[in-house]
Amino acid sequence: MQSTPFFDPEKSYEENFTEGPFAAFADSTVFLQVGKPPNSAFGQPVHLPFGIPAGPLLNGKYIKAALDKGFDMPVYKTVRTRKYASAPWPNVLAVHMPNADLSFEQAEQGLLANHDYAEPIAITNSFGVPSFEPDFWQVDMADASRYARRGQLVVGSFQGTTNSQGDIDAYIQDFVLAARLVQETGVKVLEANLSCPNEGTGQLLCYDTQRSKTILNAIKNAIGDLPLCIKIGYFKDESQLAHFVQEVGTLVQGISAINTIPARIVDEQGRPALPGEQRERSGVCGHPIKWAGVAMTHKLATLRHQLALSFTIIGVGGVTSPEDYQEYREAGADIVMSATGAMWHPQLAQEIKRAIAG
């Protein structure tokens, strides 16, 4: 495994944004792919339906590096309609697991986190969905999208932001404005991030089916036929997931799952490991959440069949090897993505392609 990730946890978000990417993503080597792309995604030709989800690719430099290294479907980090600051450093810490898989009981009890990274890689990330102004990211996203070669596809992720009064109508319209601003960049696929807190209620937006449906209807009315994906979290309640998919499955062209599993994050003294307010809990990602991502992929594939729907399934969570990629594909994922695994292992896309080629 690559010892130094392309996002440096020992640097602030701003330093990573300005100075990164690092490690293998900083070199100039390009993994060139020849021949007709054998796959497709959202009507576009793709060499391999594998990429990096919204999160670690902070700007166009990161997107271009991912494309150069063979990640054919990178997602530009979630943007907003206004500038939004990152949570204070540290934003990424190593999580030390008592077991290989993260259970919800363990997440509630608390997990030790520090700066000692080890295999299998498990981390927590706590950024608060920062964003620069549209004047910056629109130009940057457009440039990154144009950089994609034949058989590659850049996705633009976005979310709405509520105002200080908590006006729900304004929150919905901000989602719509964000979608329009991303559409203007020329990306061929949009992703609405419903897996971060619903700023009207505090829970994940994807767990609020009616509000999600209202927002998605408004977005689709604004962007027309441009493919729209949604990013969601893990659903413990299968009936809740079935209702959600039934209500929104005809509105979207893709569902990406999962984001992270939230957990109490503590230091060696049992105190919150992340400074600042409302950071006692933070999302865990990497190897320990693969079971949840694969399970959600299987559930979505079953519901898609039962409801006779046609949305694309994007499997995310704990992908660190070619075997993990194949496991997701066998569970029903049309596209697979890796965030933490790709950060520490920037040659992962090339390894998967070599494994498939035999």
Side-chain angles (χ1 to χ4, degrees), residues 24-252:
F25 265 31
D27 68 40
S28 59
T29 58
V30 177
F31 177 72
L32 291 176
Q33 302 169 92
V34 298
K36 181 180 179 181
N39 302 287
S40 65
F42 306 106
Q44 302 294 324
V46 172
H47 283 292
L48 182 72
F50 182 63
I52 299 177
L57 303 179
L58 307 189
N59 54 41
K61 294 183 295 181
Y62 285 79
I63 290 286
K64 292 177 180 180
L67 293 167
D68 285 347
K69 298 301 180 281
F71 293 91
D72 293 328
M73 295 192 64
V75 184
Y76 193 106
K77 187 191 176 305
T78 304
V79 294
R80 298 177 184 250
T81 62
R82 68 198 76 164
K83 189 170 185 178
Y84 202 87
S86 170
W89 185 89
N91 304 105
V92 174
L93 291 173
V95 171
H96 299 278
M97 298 293 306
N99 300 302
D101 295 337
L102 173 60
S103 70
F104 294 107
E105 291 75 19
Q106 291 170 355
E108 289 303 318
Q109 291 169 4
L111 299 172
L112 172 64
N114 55 31
H115 296 269
D116 299 325
Y117 299 90
E119 298 183 52
I121 190 68
I123 66 170
T124 185
N125 72 78
S126 176
F127 291 95
V129 196
S131 177
F132 281 76
E133 300 91 341
D135 285 349
F136 169 82
W137 63 251
Q138 276 195 300
V139 175
D140 192 52
M141 187 185 294
D143 179 60
S145 182
R146 289 191 298 268
Y147 187 81
R149 302 170 182 85
R150 183 169 181 253
Q152 297 184 317
L153 179 63
V154 175
V155 179
S157 178
F158 65 94
Q159 75 173 60
T161 307
T162 190
N163 59 25
S164 58
Q165 291 77 40
D167 187 325
I168 301 306
D169 289 336
Y171 178 52
I172 294 169
Q173 289 308 308
D174 195 69
F175 249 107
V176 173
L177 176 58
R180 285 177 171 150
L181 291 170
V182 174
Q183 182 182 28
E184 289 172 3
T185 69
V187 294
K188 295 181 174 64
V189 180
L190 271 62
E191 180 188 83
N193 188 353
L194 308 187
S195 61
C196 288
N198 178 342
E199 297 184 33
T201 65
Q203 68 173 348
L204 297 191
L205 179 53
C206 60
Y207 299 154
D208 188 337
T209 297
Q210 188 53 52
R211 186 166 297 169
S212 294
K213 184 178 180 180
T214 300
I215 288 171
L216 294 173
N217 263 313
I219 291 171
K220 285 303 291 181
N221 286 337
I223 68 172
D225 294 333
L226 190 66
L228 175 66
C229 299
I230 53 175
K231 185 176 183 180
I232 65 175
Y234 183 83
F235 280 69
K236 296 181 185 178
D237 188 330
E238 294 196 15
S239 62
Q240 182 188 16
L241 176 62
H243 177 61
F244 176 83
V245 172
Q246 187 170 31
E247 290 296 303
V248 308
T250 58
L251 297 174
V252 301

Side-chain angles (χ1 to χ4, degrees), residues 294-336:
V294 172
M296 275 289 289
T297 295
H298 180 74
K299 292 175 185 179
L300 288 170
T302 300
L303 288 168
R304 180 173 63 180
H305 174 73
Q306 291 175 345
L307 298 172
L309 296 171
S310 59
F311 58 83
T312 294
I313 298 172
I314 306 167
V316 189
V319 178
T320 62
S321 70
E323 292 75 20
D324 294 334
Y325 169 86
Q326 189 59 37
E327 186 175 353
Y328 267 96
R329 293 284 278 169
E330 291 173 357
D334 304 292
I335 299 165
V336 182

Side-chain angles (χ1 to χ4, degrees), residues 253-324:
Q253 287 66 59
I255 300 180
S256 177
I258 62 173
N259 188 339
T260 64
I261 293 179
R264 289 183 57 245
I265 304 298
V266 299
D267 62 16
E268 284 78 359
Q269 287 74 44
R271 301 171 303 195
L274 296 165
E277 297 181 1
Q278 299 181 341
R279 298 183 80 196
E280 294 85 0
R281 295 172 64 83
S282 178
V284 174
C285 40
H287 180 77
I289 72 165
K290 187 183 78 170
W291 72 267
V294 172
M296 275 289 289
T297 295
H298 180 74
K299 292 175 185 179
L300 288 170
T302 300
L303 288 168
R304 180 173 63 180
H305 174 73
Q306 291 175 345
L307 298 172
L309 296 171
S310 59
F311 58 83
T312 294
I313 298 172
I314 306 167
V316 189
V319 178
T320 62
S321 70
E323 292 75 20
D324 294 334

